[in-house]
Amino acid sequence: TSMCCVKRPLSPPWDHPCIAWSGLSRKIPVLVFFAEAIVSKDGNIRSVGERYNLAFKIVRTESRLVRGLLTTHGFHEIHPNSNDFNLMWTGSHLKPYLLRSLQDFQKVNHFPRSYELTRKDRLYKNIQRMQQSHGFKNFHIVPQTFVLPSEYQEFCSSFVKDQGPWIIKPVASSRGRGIYLVSNPTQIPMDENILVSRYINNPLLIDDFKFDVRLYVLVTSYDPLTIYLYEEGLARFATVKYDCGTKSIKNQFMHLTNYSVNKKSSDYVSCDDPEVEDYGNKWSMSAMLRYLKQEGKDTTLLMSQVEDLVIKAVLSAELQIATACKMFVPHRNNCFGKIVCHTLALLMLDL
């Protein structure tokens, strides 16, 4: 993790492992964070925040890891009501008047209107709009989807042609809550907004288990659009071997890969050894890629497709978020946003 958030100018060449210099004239200080400092408690690492009196506040979220990382780099925590901060880490979106009050050295971890990416219904509508304007094939990155109840008739027409199964998801939830499969439209409630998508029933499996890949994406700017994809990720496995038969349609431990769901399974296997990457129900993405490569899959193609998917998903919401930034954000570098992406390796069937 790195960010520019120093109140007063530094003089280049202050030699410190946490300070890097960017820009054409190399006069822009960038603070570089070292995750291992949480364990090592290195006093030299801590000195950088202490020397420049760097401050943070955490609002409407716990974020123990973020708090620990900032503290070990010498940041001091201030009261949530104080405005004398370099970094605000919040669990919810900021109101426009708060965004407008930001100074050039202050950062917050949300862009305005980032729900255009994080809400499932908004993300789908944005992708659908890109399909219409740039060609369906170029933005065919999600299965056929409908937003109910408004598109119920269109869904029923498609259901006649393909009776499923279909997967139901709340439009604004997480951790597998409220997700289930159906084989008949009568099983779908009409009293709330939900997403119904064609279920991919021929997934790519590892040892007969369904899995997905959790990726970590950072957007530092929407104008120009700047996206970073972290080099490592997680492969998360279901706890029951996959069976496409209709008898198992209600088995969440087979069809869902969310940790919050599968940790409740008696078959869940955890791995406490940080040196072991390919054991239990969570692997590193690197271990997953090594396994697929040994099985003859083209993992270079896979990762290029994953990167393409990430870029197109963010592009679909770029216009709305960039417009909101121009309206509410006073300085270009005030906002950054992390996006946790769950991309199903099963989508990449043409490896």
Side-chain angles (χ1 to χ4, degrees):
T1 308
S2 63
M3 60 182 179
C4 309
C5 60
V6 179
K7 274 188 191 176
R8 48 198 174 91
L10 307 181
S11 334
W14 186 41
D15 186 19
H16 192 281
C18 291
I19 298 291
W21 301 92
S22 69
L24 292 176
S25 57
R26 301 195 61 77
K27 290 184 179 179
I28 302 173
V30 178
L31 182 57
V32 180
F33 288 88
F34 292 91
E36 58 269 25
I38 290 183
V39 178
S40 68
K41 310 291 186 185
D42 188 331
N44 189 38
I45 297 293
R46 178 180 289 272
S47 68
V48 65
E50 293 173 343
R51 176 170 178 175
Y52 291 97
N53 195 30
L54 300 179
F56 73 94
K57 67 177 183 178
I58 294 180
V59 183
R60 293 187 289 276
T61 184
E62 182 54 35
S63 299
R64 287 177 295 175
L65 184 60
V66 173
R67 177 179 278 112
L69 188 66
L70 291 169
T71 303
T72 56
H73 286 74
F75 282 66
H76 65 277
E77 187 168 5
I78 61 171
H79 191 275
N81 292 335
S82 171
N83 289 322
D84 191 21
F85 62 87
N86 297 91
L87 172 66
M88 181 198 306
W89 191 276
T90 173
S92 60
H93 297 283
L94 289 185
K95 292 191 165 102
Y97 78 90
L98 289 172
L99 286 168
R100 288 191 176 108
S101 69
L102 292 172
Q103 300 184 59
D104 62 351
F105 60 83
Q106 294 181 312
K107 284 189 177 287
V108 296
N109 66 321
H110 285 285
F111 285 96
R113 288 192 71 173
S114 56
Y115 57 80
E116 297 284 353
L117 268 175
T118 57
R119 277 183 61 109
K120 296 180 180 70
D121 55 344
R122 295 305 311 145
L123 175 61
Y124 174 67
K125 285 299 181 183
N126 287 326
I127 291 173
Q128 188 180 53
R129 178 176 45 78
M130 296 298 274
Q131 289 174 343
Q132 292 166 353
S133 58
H134 297 283
F136 177 82
K137 185 178 179 181
N138 293 324
F139 274 82
H140 183 34
I141 58 175
V142 293
Q144 185 180 22
T145 298
F146 301 92
V147 179
L148 303 189
S150 61
E151 298 177 343
Y152 182 73
Q153 292 303 321
E154 294 92 328
F155 165 63
C156 289
S157 297
S158 288
F159 182 84
V160 171
K161 301 171 188 173
D162 181 356
Q163 298 191 1
W166 294 72
I167 188 165
I168 308 299
K169 298 182 180 183
V171 297
S173 190
S174 61
R175 302 198 294 274
R177 292 172 295 187
I179 299 179
Y180 56 96
L181 273 62
V182 299
S183 56
N184 193 303
T186 59
Q187 299 169 309
I188 303 173
M190 288 292 122
D191 56 349
E192 59 181 337
N193 290 332
I194 56 173
L195 227 68
V196 54
S197 300
R198 188 186 301 276
Y199 186 64
I200 298 172
N201 58 10
N202 58 336
L204 177 63
L205 307 174
I206 290 182
D207 293 335
D208 295 326
F209 289 96
K210 186 177 173 181
F211 67 100
D212 74 6
V213 183
R214 169 177 269 219
L215 302 164
Y216 299 90
V217 178
L218 174 69
V219 179
T220 57
S221 169
Y222 278 89
D223 182 20
L225 182 59
T226 308
I227 306 170
Y228 295 90
L229 175 62
Y230 189 57
E231 60 190 1
E232 189 56 279
L234 290 174
R236 311 180 308 168
F237 289 82
T239 45
V240 174
K241 289 189 175 183
Y242 185 76
D243 178 2
C244 61
T246 56
K247 290 182 180 179
S248 63
I249 195 172
K250 294 186 177 179
N251 191 332
Q252 285 193 314
F253 298 141
M254 176 187 295
H255 294 286
L256 303 186
T257 52
N258 307 76
Y259 166 71
S260 297
V261 171
N262 284 282
K263 70 178 181 179
K264 300 172 186 174
S265 168
S266 59
D267 295 315
Y268 184 83
V269 178
S270 62
C271 178
D272 299 322
D273 187 342
E275 301 299 319
V276 178
E277 299 181 47
D278 58 354
Y279 175 79
N281 286 88
K282 278 187 185 179
W283 291 11
S284 70
M285 185 173 70
S286 297
M288 180 268 302
L289 291 172
R290 287 194 296 270
Y291 178 93
L292 292 178
K293 191 169 186 177
Q294 290 171 358
E295 293 292 304
K297 307 296 184 184
D298 187 344
T299 54
T300 302
L301 173 62
L302 170 62
M303 289 311 298
S304 69
Q305 290 176 321
V306 167
E307 290 176 10
D308 187 65
L309 183 151
V310 168
I311 292 167
K312 288 177 178 177
V314 176
L315 275 175
S316 72
E318 176 191 19
L319 178 62
Q320 291 90 330
I321 297 175
T323 300
C325 287
K326 288 176 182 176
M327 291 176 62
F328 305 124
V329 182
H331 307 283
R332 177 172 287 185
N333 294 318
N334 281 142
C335 300
F336 66 96
K338 69 176 180 63
I339 308 163
V340 179
C341 298
H342 296 130
T343 179
L344 295 179
L346 52 80
L347 289 177
M348 311 305 178
L349 297 177
D350 54 343
L351 297 176

